[in-house]
Amino acid sequence: MSTFQAPKGTYDLTPPRSATFLAVREAISAPLRDSGYGYIETPGFENVELFARGVGESTDIVTKEMYTLTTKGGDQLALRPEGTASVLRAALEANLHKAGNLPVKLWYSGSYYRYERPQAGRYRHFSQVGAEAIGTEDPALDAELIILADQAYRSLGLRRFRILLNSLGDKECRPVYREALQTFLRDLDLDEETRRRIEINPLRVLDDKRADVQKQLTDAPKLRDYLCDACKAYHEEVRALLTAAGVAFEDDEKLVRGLDYYTRTTFEFVHDGLGSQSAVGGGGRYDGLSEMIGGPELPSVGWALGVDRTALALEAESVELDLPATTSVYAVPLGEEARRVLFGVVTELRRAGIAADFAFGGRGLKGAMKSANRSGARYTLVAGERDLAEGVVQLKDMESGEQSAVPLAEAAAELAKRLG
Ligand code: ATP
Ligand code: MG
């Protein structure tokens, strides 16, 4: 193993590709920020108990994928595998739900960790932008979140994604269905692990990717037939609001998602250019989660979108994001005095809000101009001894190639004018 290799299942983000990731985070969070969601940040690790209870003891995330550790002081911690449990924990700790302003709408962005088998689009360290709306049961809230994610993907220029939608029922109707499903599943020819899953989390069996299992599931009881009237009405309202907003979706009865805490609305965004790791984001309603982690009853809904897979989706659709050049002006000093003077101009430009960079290291004109080109700067400022003696700098427009002498004292103002 090379000394300079990132750990298995991880990768570094370096320029220029890293700019895409920043733009993706920005594009996903912009619609949230415009819709009353406040930014929240929580630690990268939590007590392991929070995820065991909040994500579910029977989920792959907790049983197989969680990075757990014991601190020197004996605390049992886990690197966060997802955001919802942490955000809810933090909201409860800060009593945000008691401020008399429900729903509490929050968004977050960060790193998540899962010990998975690394493959394209599946990493051990990945990043998500997520949103949670805590404390309100209202189909318009479920619809809002789906619409905002749709808006985010569209603003990035993505088109080949689909929205899968389902309802998982609530604490009235889900248990009845669960039992009917268990009775059906117990008669099937399944391996030991799957048989255990029938007893702990039978809905997850529906999610099994294996063809021989899927074949046996054809006649499984359908959750749709068990939904209570309240859940049915709620789901119809979510569907109607999405339709009215012009957001297309597909009803997907098999969509159960990996987490124990979902109730009613569940959804997933899949992209058709990503092969088997097709889910770019997902979420749903989790009315029981707060109580599961020891809080009051707080019906809530949220989603998390994967930044890594969204970046891959952009590549799959050959979307070129319109990323402005980071540097507008590049200064090339020739000689000691010019170095001092132009460094002063660069500082002045930066303070005026103009992105400027400088040829450091006292390189010659040729090498420095190469760097100026590479920086993407629209203008370069060049100055040598003779220019300074005349009180001017050479201002070159890198697009037209035109060059003119500008009085040193006016250089910054002239650039500000030209750059608008
Ligand atoms: P999958 O079915 O692909 O395992 P998931 O249901 O585990 O996804 P969620 O927990 O809903 O995923 O996380 C939301 C999003 O985060 C996913 O849609 C995906 O874009 C991203 N994501 C999840 N796990 C990974 C991972 N290991 N590597 C990269 N992105 C991931
Ligand atoms: Mg997963």
Side-chain angles (χ1 to χ4, degrees):
M1 191 179 68
S2 150
T3 327
F4 299 126
Q5 191 149 37
K8 186 175 174 191
T10 72
Y11 63 97
D12 303 303
L13 276 174
T14 52
R17 191 162 179 259
S18 52
T20 301
F21 278 64
L22 279 182
V24 167
R25 293 191 185 106
E26 170 66 25
I28 297 175
S29 58
L32 297 169
R33 286 180 272 128
D34 286 346
S35 308
Y37 289 75
Y39 178 65
I40 186 168
E41 215 171 288
T42 65
F45 51 81
E46 295 276 353
N47 289 322
V48 71
E49 186 61 20
L50 175 71
F51 300 119
R53 286 214 257 162
V55 178
E57 306 263 21
S58 70
T59 59
D60 284 351
I61 291 183
V62 169
T63 55
K64 296 182 190 158
E65 298 171 3
M66 206 149 65
Y67 281 91
T68 53
L69 59 115
T70 307
T71 65
K72 291 195 176 74
D75 295 334
Q76 300 277 337
L77 303 177
L79 300 187
R80 59 183 181 190
E82 59 103 49
T84 304
S86 309
V87 167
L88 188 58
R89 194 267 310 139
L92 290 169
E93 183 172 337
N95 281 318
L96 298 185
H97 60 298
K98 290 186 184 158
N101 192 20
L102 296 178
V104 176
K105 300 210 277 189
L106 301 166
W107 76 274
Y108 59 86
S109 174
S111 290
Y112 296 86
Y113 307 86
R114 294 183 195 177
Y115 188 73
E116 305 211 61
R117 194 167 69 79
Q119 47 202 298
R122 191 177 294 287
Y123 312 105
R124 293 180 171 178
H125 164 263
F126 58 99
S127 108
Q128 293 182 336
V129 175
E132 316 290 350
I134 298 165
T136 305
E137 189 182 84
D138 183 340
L141 203 50
D142 307 39
E144 167 176 286
L145 277 164
I146 295 171
I147 292 167
L148 293 177
D150 178 79
Q151 189 180 327
Y153 287 135
R154 284 185 190 283
S155 77
L156 282 164
L158 290 174
R159 293 296 175 265
R160 285 173 60 203
F161 66 89
R162 291 177 290 128
I163 300 172
L164 310 179
L165 185 69
N166 193 20
S167 172
L168 293 181
D170 63 7
K171 58 177 186 283
E172 302 303 320
C173 54
R174 173 113 137 245
V176 183
Y177 172 68
R178 190 176 187 271
E179 223 176 286
L181 183 63
Q182 279 176 325
T183 308
F184 172 86
L185 293 174
R186 284 184 194 122
D187 285 340
L188 301 184
D189 176 27
L190 297 165
D191 59 280
E192 259 325 294
E193 195 189 331
T194 311
R195 301 201 75 81
R196 260 198 307 279
R197 184 168 282 169
I198 295 173
E199 304 312 319
I200 314 168
N201 192 348
L203 269 74
R204 290 276 288 125
V205 179
L206 298 178
D207 211 14
D208 202 305
K209 304 279 187 289
R210 290 169 297 184
D212 61 308
V213 176
Q214 278 303 325
K215 219 169 88 195
Q216 297 188 67
L217 295 174
T218 323
D219 294 326
K222 305 238 178 297
L223 183 51
R224 188 171 43 195
D225 301 330
Y226 286 78
L227 288 186
C228 62
D229 288 344
C231 283
K232 258 187 222 156
Y234 193 96
H235 196 55
E236 279 318 306
E237 184 61 17
V238 173
R239 296 176 78 254
L241 289 167
L242 291 177
T243 303
V247 171
F249 57 86
E250 296 167 24
D251 294 307
D252 183 355
E253 282 219 302
K254 290 249 167 74
L255 185 68
V256 294
R257 314 231 342 110
L259 279 55
D260 276 355
Y261 54 61
Y262 284 113
T263 49
R264 290 197 170 168
T265 315
T266 43
F267 49 88
E268 201 157 87
F269 288 79
V270 293
H271 192 277
D272 291 324
L274 295 185
S276 50
Q277 268 60 251
S278 62
V280 285
R285 182 155 275 285
Y286 50 93
D287 292 343
L289 178 58
S290 175
E291 286 153 295
M292 270 158 83
I293 65 169
E297 190 183 340
L298 284 172
S300 306
V301 56
W303 52 240
L305 309 188
V307 175
D308 309 74
R309 288 188 199 168
T310 303
L312 291 172
L314 289 170
E315 282 166 26
E317 286 200 47
S318 306
V319 175
E320 291 283 343
L321 294 180
D322 187 19
L323 301 172
T326 45
T327 303
S328 300
V329 180
Y330 198 94
V332 177
L334 305 170
E336 267 309 296
E337 197 193 341
R339 202 166 71 90
R340 259 174 247 124
V341 171
L342 282 193
F343 189 69
V345 176
V346 162
T347 301
E348 193 185 342
L349 286 168
R350 288 172 176 168
R351 286 182 177 151
I354 294 170
D357 204 357
F358 186 77
F360 290 97
R363 275 171 307 162
L365 180 63
K366 215 171 128 198
M369 285 311 282
K370 240 190 219 161
S371 300
N373 261 319
R374 232 180 266 145
S375 77
R378 176 69 199 273
Y379 295 101
T380 51
L381 280 178
V382 184
E385 268 168 46
R386 194 165 351 127
D387 298 310
L388 295 181
E390 290 169 18
V392 300
V393 292
Q394 301 296 326
L395 174 58
K396 183 174 179 187
D397 183 329
M398 302 295 275
E399 254 169 44
S400 66
E402 261 169 62
Q403 187 170 317
S404 56
V406 176
L408 177 61
E410 288 161 30
E414 174 65 20
L415 280 163
K417 196 178 86 193
R418 292 206 198 183
L419 287 161

